[in-house]
Amino acid sequence: MNMKLKKILIISGIAVFAVTALLVTTAAIGYSIAIQKPSMRFLLSNSGFRTPTDYTKKEIFIDVSGEKISVMAYRHPRVKSNRYFVLQHGLTPEANKHPRINLFAASLCDATGMNVLIPAVKGSVEGATIEKTYNRMSQIYVTLVKKFPGRYRAFGACISANILLVALNRVPPEIYPEKIFMLGPFFSGKGLFDFFNKIAKPEDIDIMVKMALTLNMDIYTEKEKSLIRRAIAASKPGTTDRSEMKKILGRKLYNDIAVVRLHHRDFEAISPGVMFGKNRSANCKYFILHSKTDNIIPFFEGRNLSDFMKKSGISTNFLGSEYLEHAQNQVSVTGFLKEMKYLIRFFDELFEGDVER
């Protein structure tokens, strides 16, 4: 190798190293700046790209009509905020201790400094009727506001979002949340069930939906209901593992559930008129995020709800996204980057006026 060529290679190597170092440094600086933005910090944490650190978690108990109710309370270690975000957990035996809602709460507290409260509410898994659930949720919310005075926001996902709206419609308007964030809600219970029942292939509906919505129907014996509860308890986030459900339920019960025509009078009665009544605060702003690939509540349900609300003069911000599949946090890097600017704008508006540092 002659000296001239050797010199060129050395210079080229130094140049490549310098450019690489510059890119790495720029990326590091960019990341450092990005995570200071609350919306970006929340999205990165809730998507699993970073681990939230600025929060404390403690289980407390409140008295609601003589019953001790567990509440998971999240607070920022360095921020004193008078904002409280109440999260309604989904249909799961882990209730307010489910790891998914824990990540959501931790990410929210870490990013904004707001306090987050997750009360445990009994549902159909424990045998409670939906009417009892409405009343208990509204009682819990009223108790939380009395115990922790401040400005309130609320969150619910999937069917729980709609149940949350009905429950909040029973609280005094002066303590109704100022903001409500819904992930994958539906517009009409009857319309949703009609959609499910018209699907040609039973396997196109997540078996979890059928187990949850038919659990308290009279067609099952107590033994069968016990098996269904066991199956729900064993389910994992994401699309339900049908083979695991078959093992727990047995082939006959599994097949019966797979083909049963969905019917639930209380759920079918849920409509905009029931969710938005006279007790709703006119000052509340609603935020709806619905996945275009939702495998439980079809995308058009969330869009139809948003359209109705806007036409009714209800302040609503809607975003259709490929970022999440139903209420899960699995997301690809390319998918995240593709929708980042829309997601940031959505969460900027959700967090506006609430961030304290």
Side-chain angles (χ1 to χ4, degrees), residues 45-83:
S45 299
N46 196 52
S47 302
F49 292 124
R50 71 176 291 272
T51 301
T53 55
D54 288 342
Y55 74 95
T56 61
K57 179 175 69 172
K58 181 180 180 181
E59 183 175 20
I60 61 175
F61 292 88
I62 59 174
D63 185 283
V64 180
S65 300
E67 182 181 356
K68 293 295 183 184
I69 301 295
S70 165
V71 179
M72 299 307 298
Y74 298 73
R75 296 183 182 276
H76 196 285
R78 297 184 302 279
V79 174
K80 289 191 178 297
S81 173
N82 71 337
R83 266 69 163 178

Side-chain angles (χ1 to χ4, degrees), residues 109-292:
C109 183
D110 171 272
T112 67
M114 280 189 281
N115 308 295
V116 184
L117 304 172
I118 317 176
V121 183
K122 289 184 178 179
S124 58
V125 175
E126 298 87 359
T129 65
I130 191 170
E131 182 63 28
K132 287 182 180 178
T133 301
Y134 292 150
N135 289 333
R136 182 42 53 102
M137 285 173 65
S138 61
Q139 290 169 352
I140 289 172
Y141 180 80
V142 170
T143 303
L144 288 174
V145 174
K146 287 181 179 178
K147 186 173 179 62
F148 304 106
R151 300 175 64 178
Y152 274 73
R153 292 86 178 87
F155 166 83
C158 189
I159 291 172
S160 293
N162 297 87
I163 295 176
L164 176 66
L165 288 181
V166 179
L168 288 174
N169 198 30
R170 302 181 179 199
V171 308
E174 60 268 21
I175 64 169
Y176 194 92
E178 296 176 34
K179 299 177 185 178
I180 295 180
F181 174 30
M182 295 178 281
L183 179 62
F186 63 83
F187 170 63
S188 160
K190 186 178 185 306
L192 180 65
F193 278 46
D194 287 344
F195 170 80
F196 285 152
N197 289 326
K198 287 177 182 176
I199 291 177
K201 298 178 181 179
E203 60 270 20
D204 287 342
I205 304 176
D206 193 298
I207 194 69
M208 172 61 78
V209 175
K210 291 217 161 186
M211 290 191 296
L213 295 180
T214 64
L215 176 57
N216 292 322
M217 289 173 62
D218 295 334
I219 59 175
Y220 301 123
T221 65
E222 286 305 315
K223 181 179 179 181
E224 288 173 330
K225 290 179 180 179
S226 178
L227 288 173
I228 295 172
R229 291 189 183 98
R230 278 181 54 198
I232 292 174
S235 66
K236 302 291 190 299
T239 303
T240 309
D241 185 342
R242 288 177 173 268
S243 60
E244 181 66 20
M245 298 301 102
K246 284 181 183 178
K247 291 178 185 177
I248 298 171
L249 298 169
R251 184 173 295 277
K252 181 182 182 305
L253 179 56
Y254 175 88
N255 289 336
D256 287 345
I257 294 172
V259 300
V260 69
R261 183 176 178 80
L262 287 175
H263 172 69
H264 196 298
R265 184 180 60 187
D266 292 334
F267 274 113
E268 290 176 274
I270 296 177
S271 67
V274 176
M275 293 184 283
F276 305 103
K278 61 182 181 180
N279 282 350
R280 182 187 67 81
S281 170
N283 297 321
C284 180
K285 181 165 184 178
Y286 298 82
F287 296 79
I288 301 174
L289 179 64
H290 207 125
S291 172
K292 296 176 182 178

